[in-house]
Amino acid sequence: MEKTVYSYPLHPECPDLRRLADNPAEALLRAEVDIVAAENAAEADRYRRLEELEEAQQDGRGVTRRTFVAGAAATATALATAQFVTTSASFAATRTGTLIHVFLYGGLDGLSLVAPADDPVLGKARPDLLLGNDSLALGRGFKLTSAFAPLEKWLRAGQLGFVPAVSDPRLSRSHFQAADACNLGGLPGETGGRGWLDSLVDALGKGTAFRSVGIGSTLPRSLVGVNGALSLTSVGELRLNGDEKYRAATERAIRGLFTGINHPVEEAVIEGMGALATAQKLAAKPYQAAAGVKYEGVGYAFQQLAQLIKGGANVRVATVGMGGYDTHENQGTQDGGNLWRRLNELAAAMAAFFTDLGDRAADVTIMVSSEFGRRVGSNGGGTDHGHGGVVTILSGRKLAGSLLGRWNGLNDLDSGDVPEYNNMFNVYGSVAQGRFRLTTAEVDKVFPRQKYVPMKLYA
């Protein structure tokens, strides 16, 4: 038996629904909008009549406005998805700027990125993996792979820096375990499974639905939590499903269902619909990068972020992932080698991004890290899992130097690994603190079991 509510039989093949839309789901949505509108109108009329009666009788028995809107809100929760819902807690004033965390999956060999120049330990332990004569000079007697030559402009300007010997005692040599801990800011039991970037968003204040964005097909663990991060591979893919010819009507229908209900979900859905509108506006015409900028490889992910940032989407934290760093063999540290090519692709993408942003780059910081470093000694063409990796920082704000943090040399290795001279989460926290000018107490809350100790990273 068909169930009729007002004039709309709730059967996907009925002719009344077919007049609303070809797609049954969208037709039902519009029917529901009409139903809710009729119910709200009837309830409003009933409320008005009761209020008039109450005024006449002055006995205080009328239906209150609070009761009315609470009843209307009860219909609203069905369409609120994790992509739209955001925390409604009260935070401090919103911080401006953008922090982008680039995670290199596989375990980057940090000594193939930056290394002490002419170090005798390295000369003996990895003669086949030393940086070439075309390396770039860094401070404190270090040198940088020529693969990062596309970023030399920012190196000379004091905006590119490296923190060596970065690790944490909680990191094992397992890709899965170490990557998980890096993204969560500790072990799952310590963080409740919540990502460190999602916790950071708490301190940044409320913002648009784009305030936390993961560029990729899946949301990284660093953004998992309560703040409703978006996960997308391109700006244009963020749109409502369904027939394109009915999309505008569907958007109006959703807005109609969630407007004026005096319920937290109203703000979330309006925010989400705003994100859809922003994304579709940005994707309506092909993106034009700044003159001379060309995005390739991992640069495509940076292009999406450039489009959002330049389009006014107010991105606060974002992530980009890049694989191919598990170099057990054929590592190729020098020009043309496998690892050299991966690092060069990354550097070219970061350079294109900062060039494309222009003056907006002043408010952006990129932090690049990996789940762990690798062994100091080579295994005959490659390296095995180790510790003591490198964190790279490219910032619109001037840094305190090109080589940052502690470095006590390679004379006393940690079971064949670079020792932990700089704790990973102190580095993460200090990058974020300097970018957003947070207090130490605010950053301390991001890493629940870590006694956060700030580092001097910015000038």
Side-chain angles (χ1 to χ4, degrees):
M1 175 181 293
E2 293 182 348
K3 177 183 178 183
T4 301
V5 180
Y6 292 87
S7 62
Y8 299 108
L10 297 183
H11 189 285
E13 299 302 326
C14 79
D16 283 345
L17 285 177
R18 295 297 259 175
R19 281 195 293 270
L20 292 174
D22 293 337
N23 183 302
E26 294 184 65
L28 285 167
L29 175 62
R30 289 187 192 83
E32 179 69 11
V33 171
D34 288 347
I35 293 167
V36 171
E39 290 174 344
N40 285 349
E43 184 70 10
D45 183 64
R46 184 171 73 88
Y47 165 70
R48 179 185 55 78
R49 286 186 279 107
L50 286 171
E51 191 173 54
E52 291 173 353
L53 179 62
E54 177 184 21
E55 291 174 356
Q57 296 179 342
Q58 296 185 351
D59 62 1
R61 290 182 295 158
V63 176
T64 66
R65 179 68 176 167
R66 177 191 292 261
T67 303
F68 167 59
V69 296
T75 64
T77 57
L79 289 180
T81 70
Q83 290 283 333
F84 288 174
V85 174
T86 58
T87 180
S88 59
S90 176
F91 299 122
T94 300
R95 265 68 171 207
T96 58
T98 305
L99 172 62
I100 300 168
H101 186 196
V102 179
F103 200 82
L104 307 181
Y105 290 93
L108 168 67
D109 178 32
L111 292 170
S112 291
L113 176 59
V114 296
D118 304 318
D119 187 281
V121 175
L122 291 182
K124 183 177 181 180
R126 52 166 59 199
D128 54 335
L129 295 178
L130 299 176
L131 296 180
N133 294 328
D134 56 354
S135 300
L136 306 175
L138 293 181
R140 296 163 62 182
F142 269 65
K143 56 184 178 180
L144 168 67
T145 175
S146 60
F148 261 46
L151 290 169
E152 187 171 8
K153 167 186 172 181
W154 290 274
L155 176 66
R156 302 308 170 207
Q159 295 173 267
L160 178 65
F162 304 86
V163 185
V166 177
S167 191
D168 185 271
R170 285 162 284 198
L171 304 182
S172 73
R173 299 176 193 269
S174 160
H175 290 298
F176 177 82
Q177 188 276 343
D180 209 32
C182 292
N183 280 286
L184 295 177
L187 300 178
E190 298 173 349
T191 64
R194 186 183 185 191
W196 79 275
L197 285 176
D198 187 73
S199 296
L200 175 62
V201 170
D202 286 356
L204 302 184
K206 300 174 70 174
T208 71
F210 288 106
R211 70 186 177 282
S212 51
V213 179
I215 304 299
S217 57
T218 59
L219 195 68
R221 293 295 296 274
S222 59
L223 289 174
V224 171
V226 302
N227 286 296
L230 292 171
S231 177
L232 50 90
T233 56
S234 69
V235 174
E237 78 172 14
L238 188 60
R239 61 181 183 270
L240 284 178
N241 292 327
D243 296 334
E244 186 172 355
K245 64 180 179 179
Y246 296 119
R247 191 165 293 149
T250 299
E251 291 179 5
R252 287 194 299 272
I254 293 175
R255 288 181 185 275
L257 282 173
F258 291 95
T259 299
I261 61 175
N262 193 28
H263 188 281
V265 77
E266 176 183 4
E267 177 186 347
V269 172
I270 290 175
E271 186 177 281
M273 297 304 293
L276 291 171
T278 298
Q280 291 309 296
K281 179 180 178 181
L282 293 175
K285 57 182 180 180
Y287 176 69
Q288 293 293 323
V293 171
K294 184 178 181 181
Y295 288 105
E296 296 180 321
V298 72
Y300 181 73
F302 284 98
Q303 178 184 318
Q304 309 311 306
L305 290 174
Q307 189 172 5
L308 289 172
I309 292 170
K310 292 168 69 175
N314 295 313
V315 179
R316 291 292 169 262
V317 298
T319 62
V320 172
M322 186 181 186
Y325 289 88
D326 194 16
T327 52
H328 287 280
E329 57 187 9
N330 300 321
Q331 183 165 305
T333 295
Q334 297 192 29
D335 190 350
N338 291 331
L339 181 56
W340 189 97
R341 286 196 296 270
R342 298 300 284 163
L343 290 171
N344 187 244
E345 177 186 331
L346 174 63
M350 292 165 64
F353 179 60
F354 257 48
T355 301
D356 193 11
L357 290 181
D359 292 343
R360 293 180 180 86
D363 294 324
V364 176
T365 294
I366 300 174
M367 180 180 73
V368 184
S369 68
S370 191
E371 64 259 45
F372 44 59
R374 306 188 79 84
R375 307 280 284 174
V376 173
S378 72
N379 62 13
T383 49
D384 296 322
H385 301 177
H387 291 292
V390 171
V391 170
T392 301
I393 305 167
L394 174 64
S395 181
R397 183 181 170 191
K398 192 170 183 178
L399 301 172
S402 58
L403 193 83
L404 303 159
R406 291 178 56 225
W407 175 255
N408 291 344
L410 294 172
N411 290 323
D412 296 311
L413 299 184
D414 180 9
S415 300
D417 294 338
V418 177
E420 180 197 319
Y421 293 139
N422 301 288
N423 181 266
M424 174 173 287
F425 303 128
N426 287 340
V427 178
Y428 283 11
S430 297
V431 171
Q433 183 173 14
R435 172 68 276 164
F436 298 111
R437 301 187 185 278
L438 302 170
T439 67
T440 298
E442 286 174 317
V443 180
D444 202 34
K445 294 178 181 178
V446 176
F447 306 103
R449 297 290 182 87
Q450 169 78 19
K451 180 56 181 175
Y452 169 62
V453 179
M455 299 174 59
K456 184 174 177 54
L457 301 180
Y458 296 88

